[in-house]
Amino acid sequence: MNEKELRTPGTNFIKTIIDTHNRTGRFDGRVHTRFPPEPNGHLHIGHAKSICLNFGIAEDYHGLCNLRFDDTNPVKEEQEYIDGIIRDVRWLGFDWGDRLYYASDYFETMYRFAVDLIRRGNAFVCDLTAEEVREHRGTLTQPGRESPFRNRSVDENLDLFHRMRAGEFPDGSRTLRAKIDMSAGNLNLRDPVMYRITRATHPRTGDSWCIYPMYDWAHGLEDSIERITHSICTLEFEDHRPLYDWFLDALETYKPQQIEFARLNVTYTVMSKRRLLTLVNEGFVSGWDDPRMPTISGLRRRGYSPESIRIFCDRIGVAKANSTVDYAMLEHCVREHLNLTAARVMVVLDPIKVILTNYPEHQTEMMDADNNPEDASMGKRQIPFSRELLIERSDFMEEPPKKWFRLAPGMEVRLKHGYYITCTDVVRDTAGTITEIHCHYDPESRGGWTRDGRKVRGTLHWVSAAHAIRAEIRLYDHLFALDDPMAVPEGKTFRDFITPQSLTVISNALAEPCLADSAPETRFQFLRHGYFCTDPDSSPGHPVFNRTVGLKDSWAKIQRGADEQ
Ligand code: ATP
Ligand code: MG
């Protein structure tokens, strides 16, 4: 099974709209979308949904998708974020060809469009302060009041706007506003601000501008300039669509169709860049790419494959109503993909020594092991086996309960890829703690099979004491103890619901020697422990692994339960 088969492509309401446009010829059969991040933070899994949707639709219709930075607010935007976003979108597997654009490249064009709007009598320079503009705005039940500067002449507006740009006025002292309708039911249409004066150095245009366009004014123009056909955005912009249309209609210029869909929310995590930045700044995580973060770089470091994220985005679908997706479903998708692609290896997290008393001293055998039973093309490797082994402490019990299938005095188990062994004895230290388990091995059971066909219920993972390498293992829990960290009770903040210990470090795990120099981002299944990924903190001979996800699939369980009902 490959990624295509794991995905469940189907139709959705956006495709229905596009199909209608293609039938009526509204865009001459063209489909051209864009992903328009603001570089004020790194991308998160919610953005992945938008990326998969925009690039996916372009692909499905043999159209195009642009990557465009909506860099109109220099106060919060940084080059580091621009670089990170480019890296993340590429890693997710999408290609924008030569269509990487920046809203800031259109500043001059936008300025000329604004002059045009003034000439048409549809915009004016307003001297009210931000506070006064708010006061004049009215409420949902009360109409707003017109600005006393609303009826300035075209010439006066042109002159003042020119001087705003030239830097003659202090920050915040004037704005350019659209002249629409102060009594409109939709507050967005009550003479919205188009430009503000802000002396801020822009990552790309430096200090060449001291006026910057507002989102609603800029965004439609960006789409129009790029001849976008379908401008897909999240639901909170539904009320902005009349303004989007108004600007482009007033300018009598090319107008795309804005379409809104529900944003992705996932349980146990926060999704806004502002909140994620708080987690970084207040030291709750080690950075934007901390494996506990729902960012693309965090998921990547955690061990998620790009395929697994694309499968997830495909499965959740697109809807018109907001909802929250269970984190377990994201985990289910990564498990499903890694099951097909990750090599199986053996790592002992909490070791206890096993001595095979009838095994020749100083002998080492190399045992054959399939790298992935699901995929023979992943080949085999050899694992050293010797007299002294290490197994998981929890795989042995001196006085086991009934139905214990692992190791106990007198019991026989299979060592994966090894031999059958039977426990004969234990050795204790002076405090009474077991330090060694003595076993007999059956020389006839090489590879984990017996000649007489006798069966055992338990199969244990192990490493050879003389050959094992030390590994650091990082286990993670949800960062938040609350399934909706945004729905916090009065008087509390999301900080009050941070899990006290969401990171557990095991510094003395013992691993098969083949893991010594595994490259960062290599993904494995550690038998019986889950899926893991090599962390960039690894150094030669000292690998560090992050647990991506355990093996127990709580989502599959939820699904089975739902099916049975
Ligand atoms: P945030 O609120 O997390 O800061 P944003 O919407 O301000 O995100 P932008 O950089 O403006 O971030 O978003 C780029 C695109 O990604 C937009 O089209 C936006 O609608 C979309 N997007 C952002 N968050 C989500 C989400 N949770 N689900 C789906 N799409 C999203
Ligand atoms: Mg935004």
Side-chain angles (χ1 to χ4, degrees), residues 258-524:
Q258 178 179 306
I259 305 171
E260 309 85 16
F261 72 100
R263 57 194 300 128
L264 169 67
N265 295 301
V266 180
T267 54
Y268 297 104
T269 192
V270 294
M271 203 70 98
S272 95
K273 283 181 279 191
R274 194 166 51 84
R275 297 247 159 64
L276 296 174
L277 184 62
T278 308
L279 290 173
V280 173
N281 286 344
E282 297 183 12
F284 291 111
V285 292
S286 63
W288 282 93
D289 69 345
D290 186 296
R292 290 165 291 184
M293 291 281 270
T295 50
I296 294 182
S297 52
L299 291 165
R300 177 180 180 176
R301 189 163 178 184
R302 179 81 172 252
Y304 279 75
S305 57
E307 293 90 338
S308 65
I309 296 176
R310 296 200 298 261
I311 292 164
F312 171 74
C313 290
D314 197 73
R315 292 233 178 117
I316 55 177
V318 275
K320 198 78 189 166
N322 280 317
S323 65
T324 301
V325 174
D326 197 319
Y327 196 92
M329 182 178 171
L330 179 60
E331 296 189 321
H332 173 78
C333 292
V334 74
R335 231 179 248 118
E336 212 173 29
H337 183 246
L338 295 183
N339 178 43
L340 300 179
T341 54
R344 272 61 167 165
V345 293
M346 297 196 285
V347 178
V348 178
L349 302 191
D350 181 17
I352 184 165
K353 195 173 268 186
V354 167
I355 299 190
L356 306 180
T357 48
N358 61 334
Y359 192 91
E361 279 187 56
H362 312 302
Q363 174 175 303
T364 302
E365 285 178 87
M366 297 307 287
M367 311 303 281
D368 267 343
D370 283 332
N371 285 325
N372 187 339
E374 304 276 336
D375 183 356
S377 75
M378 288 179 65
K380 290 178 184 293
R381 71 183 182 291
Q382 297 217 303
I383 312 169
F385 187 93
S386 65
R387 189 173 196 267
E388 288 195 13
L389 307 171
L390 295 149
I391 65 165
E392 215 66 65
R393 191 172 288 275
S394 60
D395 279 342
F396 176 80
M397 266 187 109
E398 200 174 14
E399 287 168 33
K402 276 191 204 133
K403 295 204 174 169
W404 173 259
F405 302 129
R406 292 178 264 166
L407 204 57
M411 274 186 81
E412 187 172 45
V413 296
R414 174 198 289 117
L415 294 178
K416 183 81 179 172
H417 308 304
Y419 287 96
Y420 274 42
I421 61 167
T422 305
C423 173
T424 52
D425 206 357
V426 296
V427 176
R428 295 170 197 282
D429 62 15
T430 48
T433 312
I434 296 176
T435 53
E436 284 178 10
I437 301 167
H438 287 191
C439 295
H440 259 100
Y441 88 112
D442 173 4
E444 305 277 84
S445 63
R446 194 171 195 278
W449 312 102
T450 55
R451 292 211 172 161
D452 60 11
R454 87 182 174 276
K455 299 229 182 317
V456 288
R457 305 284 301 260
T459 300
L460 308 188
H461 61 283
W462 53 274
V463 292
S464 162
H467 305 90
I469 53 138
R470 275 257 283 275
E472 179 179 325
I473 308 285
R474 299 175 183 170
L475 304 174
Y476 301 97
D477 198 351
H478 290 308
L479 201 48
F480 291 98
L482 207 63
D483 67 350
D484 182 2
M486 286 299 97
V488 293
E490 281 259 322
K492 303 247 177 199
T493 78
F494 69 99
R495 292 172 192 78
D496 297 313
F497 296 94
I498 301 258
T499 309
Q501 213 199 350
S502 52
L503 166 63
T504 306
V505 178
I506 299 173
S507 45
N508 288 320
L510 291 167
E512 276 185 45
C514 74
L515 290 175
D517 298 314
S518 83
E521 297 191 25
T522 316
R523 304 182 192 99
F524 299 98

Side-chain angles (χ1 to χ4, degrees), residues 100-317:
L100 171 60
Y101 299 122
Y102 294 87
S104 54
D105 287 345
Y106 310 141
F107 281 172
E108 188 63 45
T109 312
M110 289 177 190
Y111 178 83
R112 277 190 272 117
F113 272 118
V115 167
D116 186 14
L117 209 63
I118 295 172
R119 288 221 168 92
R120 291 167 184 265
N122 289 327
F124 65 99
V125 172
C126 180
D127 301 357
L128 295 180
T129 62
E131 181 61 27
E132 288 165 335
V133 169
R134 244 190 317 278
E135 281 167 16
H136 278 70
R137 203 158 176 248
T139 63
L140 281 173
T141 50
Q142 275 190 323
R145 283 178 295 131
E146 293 188 350
S147 161
F149 306 98
R150 197 172 196 263
N151 296 315
R152 278 177 162 151
S153 70
V154 168
D155 285 340
E156 189 183 1
N157 281 321
L158 287 173
D159 174 60
L160 287 171
F161 187 48
H162 179 78
R163 289 163 60 197
M164 274 171 66
R165 174 184 181 166
E168 286 190 25
F169 311 121
D171 283 10
S173 61
R174 288 191 156 98
T175 54
L176 183 72
R177 296 175 67 183
K179 196 169 173 176
I180 308 180
D181 179 3
M182 286 309 289
S183 59
N186 183 337
L187 268 65
N188 293 308
L189 295 176
R190 294 187 186 172
D191 294 3
V193 172
M194 296 163 57
Y195 278 92
R196 63 203 188 281
I197 307 175
T198 309
R199 283 168 180 77
T201 304
H202 188 283
R204 290 177 56 86
T205 59
D207 294 319
S208 44
W209 291 87
C210 65
I211 56 170
Y212 287 98
M214 302 299 287
Y215 178 89
D216 284 321
W217 163 246
H219 202 83
L221 286 179
E222 295 158 24
D223 288 341
S224 177
I225 291 166
E226 293 174 18
R227 313 298 278 184
I228 297 303
T229 55
H230 300 89
S231 175
I232 301 170
C233 61
T234 39
L235 227 46
E236 68 273 22
F237 291 103
E238 195 165 22
D239 285 350
H240 296 242
R241 182 166 15 106
L243 181 55
Y244 183 103
D245 290 342
W246 187 90
F247 278 131
L248 298 176
D249 287 340
L251 292 165
E252 294 177 277
T253 192
Y254 171 82
K255 188 174 69 176
Q257 175 68 54
Q258 178 179 306
I259 305 171
E260 309 85 16
F261 72 100
R263 57 194 300 128
L264 169 67
N265 295 301
V266 180
T267 54
Y268 297 104
T269 192
V270 294
M271 203 70 98
S272 95
K273 283 181 279 191
R274 194 166 51 84
R275 297 247 159 64
L276 296 174
L277 184 62
T278 308
L279 290 173
V280 173
N281 286 344
E282 297 183 12
F284 291 111
V285 292
S286 63
W288 282 93
D289 69 345
D290 186 296
R292 290 165 291 184
M293 291 281 270
T295 50
I296 294 182
S297 52
L299 291 165
R300 177 180 180 176
R301 189 163 178 184
R302 179 81 172 252
Y304 279 75
S305 57
E307 293 90 338
S308 65
I309 296 176
R310 296 200 298 261
I311 292 164
F312 171 74
C313 290
D314 197 73
R315 292 233 178 117
I316 55 177

Side-chain angles (χ1 to χ4, degrees), residues 8-75:
T8 51
T11 193
N12 58 49
F13 78 96
I14 297 179
K15 289 184 173 179
T16 308
I17 295 173
I18 295 176
D19 291 337
T20 307
H21 290 157
N22 284 347
R23 256 196 318 278
T24 61
R26 168 148 174 211
F27 297 107
D28 304 321
R30 280 188 319 120
V31 174
H32 198 151
T33 56
R34 84 286 175 263
F35 173 63
E38 185 186 353
N40 60 350
H42 288 282
L43 300 180
H44 51 61
I45 183 77
H47 293 110
K49 176 176 180 179
S50 174
I51 294 167
C52 290
L53 185 59
N54 279 292
F55 281 93
I57 281 181
E59 201 180 300
D60 289 348
Y61 287 90
H62 308 288
L64 298 170
C65 180
N66 298 350
L67 174 60
R68 180 210 306 148
F69 286 101
D70 200 352
D71 55 347
T72 54
N73 181 9
V75 178

